[in-house]
């Protein structure tokens, strides 16, 4: 029984739709699934969604800004290694 609950909670926390969880567990109705696992579905908190969305956007922008520098550094490293190995680029 514990493995069944673990499976259900992993589906839910991974973002599965309630009807998909119902079908996976073979519950006869969606009501049974929701009554059993309602506390595992994330709550809709607009403030939390706004904050997490802003953090995701900021992280993506920061990664975009770093990408050209990282690629340039990788090119320099590869160029040095191929010359030292006797393989001119």
């Amino acid at each position: 029984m514990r493995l069944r609950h673990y499976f259900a909670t992993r589906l839910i926390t991974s973002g599965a739709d309630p009807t998909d969880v119902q079908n996976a567990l073979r519950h006869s109705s969606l009501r049974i699934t929701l009554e059993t696992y309602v506390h595992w579905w994330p709550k809709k908190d607009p403030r939390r969604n706004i904050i997490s969305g802003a953090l995701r956007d900021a992280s993506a922008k920061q990664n975009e800004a770093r990408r050209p520098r990282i690629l340039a550094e990788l090119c320099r490293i590869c160029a040095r290694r191929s010359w030292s190995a006797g393989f001119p680029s």
Side-chain angles (χ1 to χ4, degrees):
M1 188 66 154
R2 287 183 181 183
L3 184 59
R4 181 179 175 87
H5 286 296
Y6 175 77
F7 176 64
T9 56
R10 292 295 296 168
L11 285 174
I12 294 165
T13 57
S14 296
D17 189 64
T19 53
D20 294 335
V21 177
Q22 174 201 356
N23 293 333
L25 297 175
R26 298 179 183 226
H27 286 158
S28 59
S29 71
L30 183 58
R31 182 178 180 165
I32 293 171
T33 307
L34 292 175
E35 286 177 353
T36 307
Y37 299 102
V38 69
H39 57 280
W40 283 101
W41 266 282
K43 293 175 179 52
K44 303 284 184 193
D45 183 2
R47 289 176 295 168
R48 182 177 176 188
N49 292 338
I50 290 170
I51 293 169
S52 64
L55 290 173
R56 252 192 323 272
D57 293 344
S59 176
K61 286 178 186 175
Q62 187 178 24
N63 288 339
E64 282 297 317
R66 276 193 249 161
R67 187 169 289 142
R69 288 194 325 252
I70 292 171
L71 290 175
E73 183 61 27
L74 285 173
C75 288
R76 282 192 292 274
I77 291 170
C78 289
R80 275 185 273 157
R81 286 190 180 170
S82 53
W83 277 104
S84 65
F87 303 109
S89 53

